[in-house]
Amino acid sequence: MPPAISLRPSMPADAALYYRVVDETLREHIVFAWGSFNEQRAHAEAFEFGMSPDARVIEVDGAAAGILSFQFEPDCLCLHLLALLRHAQGRGAGTVAMRHVFAQAAAAALPVRLRVIASNPVRPFYDKLRFRVVEETPQFWIMEHAA
C-alpha cells in the first residue's frame, strides 16, 4: 500500500524539523558549496521557515518527514528548498510536493526555478520532472521548469 502523503503549512514549532532535515540531508552539500556549515544561519533559517506563509511540512503516513519552501518572484516561482528525511526518500513525497509547486506556478503562469548544489545526488529527480539546466557553476546547477 502506498504511503499517505500530505502537505500542511509550517508553524513556528516546525523550526526543529527544518534544522533536522537540513542537518541530515544537506550539511555535507552546504560544506561543498560554501566551505562550512553555519550553525547560526541554519537556526535562523529554521525560524524563518516556521514563520513563512509559503513553507510547507511534508507528512508521510501522518508523520513530519520533510520541508518545502518556495517564494513567488516577479518572473518565476523560486523553489528554495525541498528536502526529505532519508527514511522518507523514494516514497513519492517529493513528487507530491512538486505537484503542489507546479500547481502554484501554473495558477500564476510562471516557470519554476531552483538551484541544486552540484554535489547533491538529487539532480536525476529534477531531470525526471523535466527541469532543464539554464546555468551551471562549479557549485550549482540553476534549473527551470517551463510554465
Side-chain angles (χ1 to χ4, degrees):
M1 176 187 247
I5 300 167
S6 60
L7 303 177
R8 66 165 173 79
S10 66
M11 302 178 289
D14 293 316
L17 170 68
Y18 178 98
Y19 183 86
R20 179 178 168 215
V21 171
V22 169
D23 186 49
E24 180 180 308
T25 64
L26 294 172
R27 179 183 283 264
E28 69 184 276
H29 306 297
I30 291 169
V31 171
F32 169 84
W34 287 283
S36 66
F37 184 84
N38 184 321
E39 294 284 342
Q40 185 176 3
R41 179 177 175 173
H43 284 289
E45 288 176 355
F47 175 78
E48 291 170 12
F49 171 80
M51 302 299 288
S52 172
D54 295 323
R56 302 289 182 271
V57 170
I58 303 164
E59 295 182 333
V60 177
D61 290 331
I67 53 178
L68 171 65
S69 178
F70 60 90
Q71 180 176 355
F72 285 97
E73 301 289 341
D75 62 342
C76 70
L77 184 153
C78 182
L79 177 62
H80 291 293
L81 186 58
L82 167 58
L84 293 157
L85 293 169
R86 286 193 179 96
H87 76 274
Q89 294 174 6
R91 300 180 67 198
T95 301
V96 169
M98 287 308 301
R99 284 185 194 134
H100 175 77
V101 170
F102 291 147
Q104 297 292 312
L110 292 170
V112 177
R113 288 197 193 119
L114 57 87
R115 179 175 69 175
V116 175
I117 299 173
S119 66
N120 191 329
V122 74
R123 178 157 169 204
F125 170 76
Y126 291 112
D127 289 339
K128 183 178 171 183
L129 293 171
R130 297 195 170 109
F131 276 84
R132 64 182 176 83
V133 175
V134 295
E135 184 180 341
E136 194 168 336
T137 72
Q139 291 91 5
F140 302 102
W141 294 302
I142 311 300
M143 303 182 80
E144 184 172 287
H145 188 278

